[in-house]
Amino acid sequence: QVQLVESGGGLVQEGGSLRLSCVASGRLSSFYVFGWYHQAPGKQRELVAHITSAGTTVYADSVKGRFTISGDNAGNTLFLQMNSLKAEDTGVYYCTYRARQTDWGQGTQVTVSS
């Protein structure tokens, strides 16, 4: 099992920026998919972006050009740089780590005020 701890959420005005971080520990793998999901109030959790151990990135259409996912060389820290934030970006952001299984963090709240 992998433990994930997110940080960096908060309250920001529309157009502002936030940087989320996620630190993974435990049974890490050399082959993984490390990602961020967003759950808006009253809605289902949706993929924001992920990055593979090979460095391949995938983004939801709604965040392309605004958000950037990256990881450290050790493969145990994940970042999400969020720029030009919109009110609809409000919600809880969850970090996930998929290798032998999919593990989830507790989430970090992002609130974008209009």
Side-chain angles (χ1 to χ4, degrees):
Q1 188 175 3
V2 173
Q3 293 76 45
L4 302 167
V5 179
E6 303 101 331
S7 61
L11 174 64
V12 64
Q13 289 188 331
E14 272 196 319
S17 298
L18 284 174
R19 181 177 169 88
L20 305 184
S21 299
C22 174
V23 177
S25 60
R27 294 191 65 193
L28 304 184
S29 174
S30 298
F31 302 98
Y32 57 81
V33 180
F34 213 167
W36 292 98
Y37 279 72
H38 169 229
Q39 187 163 23
K43 296 190 176 182
Q44 290 187 329
R45 207 171 289 188
E46 296 180 338
L47 176 69
V48 175
H50 74 227
I51 185 167
T52 71
S53 48
T56 302
T57 58
V58 170
Y59 292 92
D61 288 343
S62 60
V63 306
K64 285 180 181 176
R66 299 190 299 124
F67 291 9
T68 303
I69 192 169
S70 62
D72 69 345
N73 290 333
N76 62 7
T77 305
L78 185 69
F79 304 100
L80 184 68
Q81 179 66 43
M82 305 189 295
N83 298 328
S84 303
L85 282 161
K86 303 177 181 180
E88 52 262 42
D89 296 321
T90 292
V92 181
Y93 284 75
Y94 296 91
C95 176
T96 69
Y97 188 93
R98 186 170 81 234
R100 299 171 186 86
Q101 62 183 48
T102 300
D103 292 292
W104 293 81
Q106 292 299 306
T108 185
Q109 175 71 40
V110 170
T111 303
V112 183
S113 63
S114 56

